Amino acid sequence: MPPTPEDVRAALTHIREARGFVLPHHGAMAAALPELHIAYEAMYRALTLEPRHLAPLEREVVWLAILAACEEPVGTHHLHKFRLAGGDDALAQAVFRLVGWAAGARRWACMADHWQAQFPALPAAQGYLDGLDALLGDGALAPGLARLALVGIHTACEEDWGLRVALRSAYALGVEEPRMAEAMSLPIWPRGVNRFVRATAAWLEMIRAGEVAPSPPFQAWAEVAGQGAFTPPPP
């Protein structure tokens, strides 16, 4: 049975009461795709609202970094949540510096891929991280949280080299894997699940190659065979 006008109004009223605002796609789903609307709201709550591994301010720092890196005008309620969680101008400035630096990761990747042999004393990955830490020298953004923000940025922007550098550095700093996974999952909302798929594939490859030392649950993930793209059966 298709939704009635009263069903649509009720659904949008519920959204407004829960979030404080309504976006146009909420109405389109409520009017034509009510089952999707229910699943969408459940995923939104699980991904962005329910407490998981990141503290509230940590999560909003990662959100701020992702939105700025993607030049995303939608999602500005996270700026409000950043303030509510205790974020101040000094922390925001540090995040914006990090985002600006992360935009250059592709250039460092070019050096790593093509010029590294010409500059053996200047490892590209270490140069990228050293520059980042110099920019964050005022201490407003902790090194571990900076790596989590980089994981979110590089997942969202599909920067494989930068993501791998950030993951290796996060492990070296003792950042817990569930916090990395949460930071990596947030770009699902603004950029889609395929970027999360590709980022987790890179992470899985790093674990299997021995580039990082996983915890037992993540080692178990890596030991499961047959993870990858669909292979059509033979004709």
Side-chain angles (χ1 to χ4, degrees):
M1 180 180 297
T4 66
E6 290 73 21
D7 292 334
V8 174
R9 295 188 189 99
L12 297 186
T13 296
H14 176 73
I15 292 291
R16 190 181 303 278
E17 290 173 348
R19 299 196 193 182
F21 62 95
V22 174
L23 294 174
H25 69 304
H26 294 141
M29 286 190 292
L33 307 164
E35 296 84 5
L36 175 61
H37 196 211
I38 292 169
Y40 174 94
E41 285 304 305
M43 184 175 180
Y44 179 84
R45 288 193 302 273
L47 187 64
T48 70
L49 299 179
E50 294 173 0
R52 290 187 288 165
H53 305 289
L54 298 176
L57 181 56
E58 291 177 331
R59 183 166 58 183
E60 296 311 322
V61 162
V62 177
W63 266 119
L64 182 62
I66 291 168
L67 294 172
C70 294
E71 302 177 65
E72 182 56 74
V74 176
T76 52
H77 61 290
H78 283 288
L79 279 63
H80 178 62
K81 294 176 71 174
F82 172 81
R83 293 289 195 187
L84 290 179
D88 57 18
D89 286 350
L91 180 55
Q93 182 77 307
V95 172
F96 297 146
R97 285 199 300 266
L98 178 146
V99 170
W101 181 255
R106 295 182 190 276
R107 281 73 184 176
W108 287 95
C110 179
M111 175 186 171
D113 291 342
H114 304 290
W115 300 350
Q116 190 63 82
Q118 308 302 317
F119 298 96
L122 302 175
Q126 192 58 53
Y128 178 59
L129 294 172
D130 287 347
L132 171 71
D133 288 335
L135 284 175
L136 303 179
D138 61 5
L141 181 59
L145 182 52
R147 272 57 177 182
L148 291 170
L150 284 180
V151 168
I153 290 168
H154 291 320
T155 297
C157 297
E158 290 193 291
E159 293 163 346
D160 181 79
W161 181 88
L163 175 65
R164 290 169 186 262
V165 171
L167 286 171
R168 281 193 293 268
S169 184
Y171 272 99
L173 290 174
V175 177
E176 299 88 348
E177 290 159 316
R179 297 170 75 220
M180 299 185 217
E182 182 171 352
M184 189 179 285
S185 74
L186 295 181
I188 289 174
W189 208 251
R191 284 297 178 265
V193 73
N194 283 352
R195 299 198 179 192
F196 183 50
V197 171
R198 287 188 278 272
T200 53
W203 193 359
L204 180 62
E205 184 178 285
M206 292 173 67
I207 295 173
R208 288 176 169 173
E211 295 182 38
V212 295
S215 64
F218 281 74
Q219 181 62 44
W221 165 37
E223 291 171 355
V224 174
Q227 301 183 56
F230 171 73
T231 301

